[in-house]
């Protein structure tokens, strides 16, 4: 089963040729291992190097830093195909989010040191924002990076960090000034290498979905890093984070839409095959009406997603539009998942069926990247 892309307006023939290579890669290198990775709670780290070898990682990175210098559409294709395949790889965190901070705000030295490895897959990255007592409110973070000579000394803890177990490089949001008001002016982004003394990984957290995605606690105890590890200007971290959110939220929307489409496609096939009272479940009017309603909403979703992607190519997608995309597509994803699981009957409750795993994995998309309640607040502020 493949994602149907006829009529899409966000992609060129070159994009679609790239899609075929992504599909072939996933069929060979990811899908056969998905169940094992789910059981282990983490993917094999060598999948990153394999993906880098076929250009799937960070394709927007400029050529002078080892990338392909392509547009975000190539990222979106990777996101769509991974989500449609139903595997959790963690690539979007690196390709769609972390590299953007380095490209936009990193020093020349930082770019040359880290970006080539992030393109090749030899460097796995994470960004550490959330803390045990702080979720969407980044102004309230307690992790500190205090100056000591020409170094910062980091202390604090982070949680729910995607790629936390595999990461070689962590972008840590920390307070370099705890006195300044408003508090957001004291937030900086500090690059911390995973082999720094005092850095420790905690548990690979036990989640209700996306089992293969390593999601971790991270601890920083007197971790010393040179001041040259500050990303961009000290105290500008919060501004940097806000400026990159439209793409992060669009990335979530892309994955949600593709995941919803896969659930729908699987459910059409399942209901045509499964019989009840002597006829296929598909032949009941309730089934057809439910699927017709979902197909209509998915059609609208793809049109909106292409609109948003084209806006983003032109650098016109606003923070409010990015928030709206994340809100709408993840809410659609949940509606599709829940109704499709219902149409599977008792089978939908069994983890051996893909719909059960997709349903579990979809629950977090209305939470990460800023909860959907926060999305409504952001959109509301712009009215």
């Amino acid at each position: 089963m493949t994602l149907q892309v006829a009529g899409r307006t966000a992609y060129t023939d070159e994009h679609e040729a790239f899609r075929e290579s992504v599909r072939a890669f996933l069929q060979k290198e990811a899908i056969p291992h998905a169940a094992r990775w789910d059981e282990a709670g983490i993917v094999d780290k060598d999948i990153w190097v394999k993906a880098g070898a076929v250009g799937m990682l960070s394709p927007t990175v400029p050529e002078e830093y080892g990338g392909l210098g392509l547009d975000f559409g190539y990222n979106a294709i990777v996101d769509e195909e991974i989500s449609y395949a139903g595997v959790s790889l963690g690539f979007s965190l690196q390709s769609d989010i972390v590299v953007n901070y380095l490209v936009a705000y990193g020093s020349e030295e930082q770019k040359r040191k880290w970006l080539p490895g992030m393109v090749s897959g030899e460097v796995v990255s994470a960004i550490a924002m959330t803390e045990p007592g702080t979720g969407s409110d980044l102004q309230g973070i307690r992790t500190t990076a205090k100056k000591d000579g020409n170094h910062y000394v980091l202390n604090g803890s982070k949680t729910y960090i995607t790629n936390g177990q595999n990461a070689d490089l962590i972008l840590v949001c920390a307070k370099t000034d705890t006195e300044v008001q408003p508090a957001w002016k004291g937030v900086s982004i500090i690059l911390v290498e995973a082999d720094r003394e005092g850095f420790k990984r905690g548990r690979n957290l036990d989640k209700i979905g996306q089992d293969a995605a390593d999601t971790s606690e991270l601890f920083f105890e007197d971790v010393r890093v040179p001041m040259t590890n500050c990303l961009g200007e000290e105290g500008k971290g919060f501004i940097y984070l806000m400026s990159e959110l439209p793409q992060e939220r669009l990335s979530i929307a892309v994955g949600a839409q593709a995941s919803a489409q896969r659930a729908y496609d699987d459910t059409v096939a399942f209901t045509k095959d499964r019989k009840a009272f002597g006829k296929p479940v598909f032949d009941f009017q309730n089934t057809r009406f439910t699927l017709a309603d979902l197909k209509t909403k998915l059609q609208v979703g793809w049109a909106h997603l292409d609109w948003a992607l084209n806006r983003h190519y032109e650098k016109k997608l606003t923070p409010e539009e990015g928030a709206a995309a994340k809100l709408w597509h993840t809410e659609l994803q949940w509606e599709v998942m829940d109704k499709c699981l219902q149409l599977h009957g008792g089978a939908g409750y069994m983890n051996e069926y893909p719909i059960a795993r997709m349903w579990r994995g979809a629950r977090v998309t209305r939470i990460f990247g800023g909860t959907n309640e926060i999305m409504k607040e952001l959109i509301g502020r712009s009215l």
Side-chain angles (χ1 to χ4, degrees):
M1 192 173 290
T2 57
L3 179 63
Q4 299 304 304
V5 295
R8 299 288 300 276
T9 62
Y11 300 124
T12 64
D13 290 343
E14 288 78 12
H15 284 119
E16 294 304 340
F18 177 71
R19 186 189 298 276
E20 290 304 315
S21 70
V22 172
R23 284 178 176 172
F25 176 87
L26 293 173
Q27 284 293 333
K28 180 183 178 182
E29 303 290 354
I31 293 172
H33 305 289
R36 178 172 60 82
W37 290 340
D38 281 348
E39 185 69 24
I42 192 169
V43 304
D44 299 334
K45 200 169 182 180
D46 66 359
I47 190 70
W48 288 81
V49 176
K50 292 176 180 178
V54 296
M56 280 177 59
L57 297 179
S58 310
T60 59
V61 169
E63 292 182 28
E64 59 263 39
Y65 305 114
L68 298 173
L70 302 172
D71 60 58
F72 181 76
Y74 291 85
N75 295 46
I77 285 171
V78 174
D79 296 341
E80 287 179 5
E81 293 300 326
I82 287 175
S83 294
Y84 193 82
V87 292
S88 300
L89 292 173
F91 294 171
S92 64
L93 187 280
Q94 178 148 309
S95 297
D96 303 354
I97 300 172
V98 176
V99 297
N100 265 35
Y101 292 113
L102 280 161
V103 170
Y105 309 112
S107 66
E108 190 65 19
E109 179 185 0
Q110 289 169 347
K111 292 176 184 177
R112 295 198 178 279
K113 180 177 182 180
W114 294 112
L115 289 175
M118 294 169 78
V119 172
S120 69
E122 295 168 286
V123 174
V124 176
S125 63
I127 184 163
M129 292 185 273
T130 304
E131 297 183 356
T134 306
S136 297
D137 181 14
L138 296 178
Q139 299 183 65
I141 62 174
R142 295 185 178 181
T143 298
T144 58
K146 296 183 178 179
K147 294 177 185 175
D148 182 22
N150 61 354
H151 283 72
Y152 291 110
V153 180
L154 280 79
N155 282 282
S157 61
K158 300 290 183 177
T159 194
Y160 312 145
I161 307 305
T162 301
N163 294 343
Q165 294 293 317
N166 270 334
D168 304 295
L169 176 70
I170 302 100
L171 276 62
V172 181
C173 300
K175 287 280 184 72
T176 46
D177 188 335
T178 57
E179 304 296 329
V180 68
Q181 293 296 326
W184 61 264
K185 290 187 175 181
V187 176
S188 301
I189 301 175
I190 310 296
L191 307 184
V192 177
E193 302 91 339
D195 58 0
R196 290 279 175 182
E197 186 176 353
F199 168 72
K200 295 183 178 66
R201 306 180 204 268
R203 296 174 297 155
N204 188 6
L205 298 167
D206 184 15
K207 308 181 297 296
I208 65 171
Q210 298 193 2
D211 300 323
D214 56 309
T215 307
S216 307
E217 301 170 316
L218 303 179
F219 300 99
F220 306 86
E221 185 176 342
D222 293 333
V223 178
R224 294 179 64 86
V225 300
M227 292 183 68
T228 52
N229 276 28
C230 183
L231 185 72
E233 293 183 45
E234 186 179 284
K236 292 288 183 69
F238 189 80
I239 295 173
Y240 297 159
L241 292 168
M242 294 303 103
S243 68
E244 297 302 323
L245 283 175
Q247 179 165 300
E248 176 180 351
R249 288 165 178 164
L250 177 58
S251 172
I252 294 170
V254 169
Q257 178 74 23
S259 173
Q261 186 68 55
R262 178 58 187 268
Y264 173 84
D265 292 347
D266 278 5
T267 302
V268 170
F270 179 89
T271 56
K272 287 182 176 180
D273 182 65
R274 181 61 61 95
K275 289 182 170 56
F277 302 101
K279 63 180 181 179
V281 173
F282 181 82
D283 288 346
F284 289 93
Q285 186 184 66
N286 177 71
T287 303
R288 295 197 310 276
F289 277 19
T290 299
L291 292 172
D293 181 58
L294 295 180
K295 181 175 183 177
T296 302
K297 291 176 179 177
L298 286 164
Q299 178 179 314
V300 172
W302 287 115
H304 174 262
L305 194 64
D306 283 356
W307 171 86
L309 284 166
N310 282 311
R311 290 272 291 173
H312 189 51
Y313 298 160
E314 298 172 1
K315 302 188 185 304
K316 293 179 180 178
L317 189 73
T318 68
E320 295 77 25
E321 290 168 349
K326 193 266 185 185
L327 171 66
W328 197 88
H329 288 274
T330 58
E331 293 289 345
L332 173 63
Q333 178 191 26
W334 185 247
E335 179 185 0
V336 172
M337 291 293 173
D338 205 50
K339 289 182 176 178
C340 286
L341 188 148
Q342 185 72 19
L343 290 175
H344 276 71
Y349 202 64
M350 302 297 119
N351 277 323
E352 65 187 271
Y353 284 85
I355 189 62
R357 298 193 297 274
M358 288 188 283
W359 182 86
R360 289 189 292 109
R363 186 58 187 88
V364 74
T365 64
R366 293 184 291 153
I367 297 172
F368 64 23
T371 67
N372 280 8
E373 290 73 25
I374 295 295
M375 297 305 98
K376 292 176 183 178
E377 186 68 25
L378 294 172
I379 298 163
R381 289 175 188 172
S382 69
L383 301 179

